[in-house]
Amino acid sequence: MSTWNTIEKARLDIPQGIHAIAKPMGSTCNLKCDYCFYLEKENLYLAKENLRMPDGVMKAYIKSYVQSQPTPEVEFVWQGGEPTLRGIDFYRRVVMYQKPYLATKTIRNAIQTNGTLLTDEWCEFFRQNGFLVGLSLDGPEDIHNRYRRNRAGHPSFSEVIRGMRLLKKWGVEFNVLACVARETAYRPLDVYHFFKEQGVTFIQFTPVVERMPDQKAAGYGLRFAIPPALDIRETNTQITSWTVEPEKYGEFLTAIFDEWVRQDVGKVFVMNFEWALNAAVGNGSPICIFSRQCGRAVAVEHNGDVYACDHHVYPEYLLGNLRNDDLARMVQSSVNSGFGPHKEDTLPRCCRECDVLQACWGGCPKHRFIQSPHAEPGLNYLCAGYKKFFRHSAKYMIAFRKLIELDLEPSYIMRAIGRPLVIPPSEKTGHQQVVLWIKQNYGAGTDRIEE
């Protein structure tokens, strides 16, 4: 979806909905990426348990999700682990079971895959049924293969590229999800140029942040720490070797943004920038990590278990099971119990007084494990990086906002950087000439309005 369509959709008066991510194969995956936080979730279930979602759970999920959704559009997101391991026939049945609900709702499907198992048959199915595919690809071969290997330890890059070519061959709509690990953050333009060379036009960058296991995680048989409590000082701040450095992550986004805003607006869509733009125009973030509160985005496991969040799949965050409980009531109980509001209520003083609060809102609670300058708990590990990016992009967001007010294409901004853009008089400009000029290092906005 383009920047402008994202903004226009957010302007509509649509009730707040529920977002669910389903795990039809649980945490089962054919890859064994070093930084993956979900592979270890298999330890929360019985060793011999079949992690394949039964049709009974799938049908209960479809019915409950559609009926619980107050919005006119329902998006089913199938994730993992690796969801294609469930087999194409499972998704054919998904589409069949969704059909009776098309009379009252617009239903869309999206699937997040590592791409290594894609075939012509899969891609034809995706195209025929309008599936949006999210492809996990971290960048050039050496960057991608550093952490994304299969269970035999072999690199996965060539298989992912093969899968991407099949998606293109069949005209399947897809975007790329790129994880930014420690080493990746030092090569922002290598990553961005690679995606452009590959013809990728929709990209989302996700920072890799994980801590070493604490006592509770070790008790569950997990190798990463469980999420922090936010209002209690976290003693375990030891991060993994591949965790991205905060300021480097901010520099990574900033370097890509600087090229994008000068050359690629309207041609390449980077979701991180679109989220920032939504916040800048007052719509709030469309993604939970930068929302004021969370709690309405849940994870549905293979057996129907529903958890408060994809990053909180732990016994203490289990809300219920689709076989016995109503999805809407489970989500509401999560919000009522304080899971969502807790994100805002526990913000440290430096966050509440921060100039980029409206863009960040403390970030993902899972990453809020360091202390603030006032020795308060609950500061986001990535705080320095977020500040760097949001402050750097602020002047451009002011210009984007002005273009929105004037109903002009976002690409106009590329003509206003370092030189004046003269916008002729119109009804939108109050019948005055407007000059938009983003002066380097001086801020942005309407430099002057001339008669």
Side-chain angles (χ1 to χ4, degrees):
M1 181 177 288
S2 71
T3 303
W4 249 228
N5 286 340
T6 301
I7 298 301
E8 289 303 315
K9 184 176 179 181
R11 283 176 169 173
L12 299 175
D13 185 19
I14 297 176
Q16 188 176 20
I18 295 170
H19 179 66
I21 296 175
K23 313 281 187 173
M25 283 297 294
S27 59
T28 307
C29 189
N30 61 316
L31 298 189
K32 193 176 182 181
C33 303
D34 290 336
Y35 55 60
C36 182
F37 70 92
Y38 214 81
L39 282 177
E40 64 180 12
K41 298 301 190 270
E42 65 183 3
N43 293 323
L44 300 177
Y45 293 93
L46 297 175
K48 296 183 179 180
E49 183 171 342
N50 186 341
L51 299 184
R52 297 165 63 89
M53 180 179 283
D55 277 16
V57 171
M58 178 257 285
K59 287 190 281 188
Y61 169 52
I62 291 173
K63 179 180 180 181
S64 186
Y65 193 31
V66 172
Q67 294 180 345
S68 300
Q69 194 67 273
T71 59
E73 183 175 306
V74 184
E75 182 179 40
F76 287 84
V77 179
W78 308 95
Q79 203 185 68
E82 174 50 45
T84 59
L85 287 170
R86 188 62 182 85
I88 195 170
D89 287 340
F90 173 82
Y91 296 97
R92 289 193 174 107
R93 295 193 297 275
V94 164
V95 173
M96 180 179 68
Y97 292 135
Q98 289 172 342
K99 281 184 178 179
Y101 302 101
L102 291 173
T104 56
K105 297 280 188 180
T106 298
I107 293 178
R108 305 189 191 282
N109 287 283
I111 188 167
Q112 183 66 41
T113 175
N114 60 41
T116 62
L117 302 176
L118 295 182
T119 61
D120 284 306
E121 184 182 16
W122 271 110
C123 293
E124 182 180 20
F125 169 79
F126 290 149
R127 189 192 65 182
Q128 289 179 344
N129 293 282
F131 272 61
L132 170 65
V133 176
L135 184 69
S136 296
L137 175 62
D138 286 358
E141 186 170 5
D142 62 319
I143 289 178
H144 177 90
N145 282 340
R146 187 180 187 97
Y147 297 116
R148 299 190 65 84
R149 294 175 174 267
N150 65 23
R151 291 187 173 272
H154 300 144
S156 64
F157 178 82
S158 60
E159 289 301 300
V160 179
I161 295 300
R162 182 193 59 78
M164 183 170 68
R165 288 173 181 158
L166 285 174
L167 292 170
K168 291 180 179 179
K169 171 186 172 182
W170 286 94
V172 177
E173 184 180 0
F174 76 96
N175 56 45
V176 161
L177 175 64
C179 290
V180 183
R182 180 176 296 256
E183 295 80 11
T184 311
Y186 284 80
R187 297 172 57 187
L189 294 185
D190 287 346
V191 172
Y192 187 54
H193 292 163
F194 167 78
F195 287 137
K196 290 203 293 182
E197 290 164 4
Q198 294 294 322
V200 175
T201 54
F202 288 84
I203 312 164
Q204 176 182 331
F205 294 111
T206 298
V208 173
V209 179
E210 293 295 343
R211 290 179 296 146
M212 299 301 288
D214 48 27
Q215 187 175 1
K216 197 167 190 178
Y220 290 143
L222 307 178
R223 65 191 188 107
F224 298 137
I226 65 172
L230 303 185
D231 55 355
I232 301 173
R233 179 176 174 270
E234 181 59 55
T235 58
N236 176 23
T237 58
Q238 184 182 1
I239 55 174
T240 60
S241 60
W242 50 79
T243 288
V244 68
E245 298 165 275
E247 292 215 26
K248 281 297 177 183
Y249 180 61
E251 291 170 7
F252 177 90
L253 291 177
T254 297
I256 293 174
F257 179 85
D258 280 347
E259 177 162 323
W260 172 81
V261 80
R262 286 165 174 77
Q263 300 179 19
D264 300 320
V265 178
K267 296 182 291 183
V268 178
F269 303 94
V270 181
M271 301 316 298
N272 308 68
F273 306 157
E274 300 212 10
W275 302 333
L277 178 54
N278 266 273
V281 300
N283 285 334
S285 175
I287 187 170
C288 60
I289 61 172
F290 294 133
S291 296
R292 188 167 188 162
Q293 297 183 357
C294 53
R296 303 187 69 83
V298 298
V300 180
E301 259 291 350
H302 66 285
N303 63 349
D305 283 347
V306 178
Y307 291 87
C309 170
D310 184 44
H311 289 280
H312 288 70
V313 177
Y314 302 93
E316 49 266 62
Y317 296 100
L318 178 63
L319 303 176
N321 188 286
L322 286 172
R323 292 181 182 272
N324 311 308
D325 306 298
D326 177 72
L327 182 60
R329 281 197 290 269
M330 284 188 276
V331 172
Q332 195 57 49
S333 70
S334 177
V335 174
N336 292 345
S337 69
F339 178 79
H342 193 58
K343 176 185 179 182
E344 180 184 5
D345 295 342
T346 55
L347 284 174
R349 172 183 161 189
C350 64
C351 290
R352 296 178 184 276
E353 297 175 353
C354 183
D355 57 305
V356 299
L357 173 64
Q358 302 298 319
C360 173
W361 287 108
C364 181
K366 180 183 177 181
H367 299 158
R368 287 173 53 186
F369 55 82
I370 64 173
Q371 288 191 72
S372 75
H374 304 104
E376 295 174 286
L379 183 65
N380 198 300
Y381 167 80
L382 295 170
C383 175
Y386 286 149
K387 282 182 179 178
K388 184 178 288 289
F389 168 66
F390 288 131
R391 286 172 177 169
H392 177 81
S393 61
K395 62 184 177 182
Y396 302 95
M397 296 304 168
I398 294 172
F400 273 126
R401 190 167 63 207
K402 188 64 181 178
L403 291 172
I404 289 174
E405 293 171 1
L406 299 176
D407 281 343
L408 294 174
E409 289 296 319
S411 58
Y412 274 55
I413 196 171
M414 296 185 288
R415 295 159 53 187
I417 297 175
R419 61 189 184 276
L421 169 65
V422 179
I423 301 170
S426 68
E427 187 175 342
K428 285 287 185 180
T429 67
H431 302 288
Q432 299 182 36
Q433 177 176 277
V434 173
V435 178
L436 188 66
W437 187 358
I438 304 176
K439 297 181 178 180
Q440 302 301 296
N441 301 321
Y442 288 98
T446 304
D447 187 55
R448 62 184 180 273
I449 299 179
E450 299 176 352
E451 297 289 341

